[in-house]
Amino acid sequence: MHHHGHPIAGSLVRARNSRGTVVGLGFLAAPGLVCTCAHVITEALDLPDEQPTPPVDEVTLDFPFVSDATVRAVVARWLPIQSAGGGDIAILRVTTVVPASTAPVSLLVERNLAGRHVEVHGISERAGDD
């Protein structure tokens, strides 16, 4: 399966809240590990955005270009939104079977990364308010 031809399609993940609404995006960073924004997870779990400690509840995810199946994940690493800016990172460990034909994204070679800027793509409720 060629994931609609796009190299990251097989790694793209959507997070859903308890009502099944998609609240944000992430990607499969390594087998069984999903990288997303902390505010996506707080929204999925109906928690405050500034949640300082890692949420304990499972999060529901899906791979829209791969399968209709949902998977469950728990927070493995948590860097909440920082008041001075930055942070807003969550690494999730998938606790159920990941659909076949998903593939971790290979965006860059993992060396000489110190001091580089990282560009993160996602969706934001604030995107249209400018």
Side-chain angles (χ1 to χ4, degrees):
M1 184 172 174
H2 285 294
H3 311 305
H4 302 268
H6 197 283
I8 73 161
S11 68
L12 191 68
V13 174
R14 296 186 298 189
R16 295 175 179 273
N17 65 17
S18 59
R19 297 167 292 287
T21 305
V22 172
V23 294
L25 304 175
F27 61 89
L28 193 65
L33 290 178
V34 168
C35 183
T36 186
C37 296
H39 79 263
V40 169
I41 301 310
T42 55
E43 183 147 340
L45 297 175
D46 295 313
L47 296 168
D49 274 352
E50 298 78 21
Q51 170 84 14
T53 56
V56 295
D57 289 339
E58 284 190 317
V59 183
T60 300
L61 308 172
D62 69 9
F63 292 83
F65 295 113
V66 173
S67 168
D68 292 333
T70 57
V71 300
R72 310 285 283 170
V74 293
V75 174
R77 293 284 181 272
W78 186 250
L79 185 59
I81 295 173
Q82 307 295 303
S83 56
D88 199 18
I89 296 168
I91 306 295
L92 310 179
R93 190 176 70 254
V94 178
T95 56
T96 55
V97 176
V98 173
S101 76
T102 58
V105 70
S106 50
L107 293 178
L108 38 81
V109 177
E110 294 182 33
R111 60 172 186 262
N112 301 327
L113 296 183
R116 296 218 186 156
H117 290 284
V118 176
E119 192 171 341
V120 178
H121 298 275
I123 54 177
S124 167
E125 290 177 8
R126 296 176 287 281
D129 294 342
D130 301 329

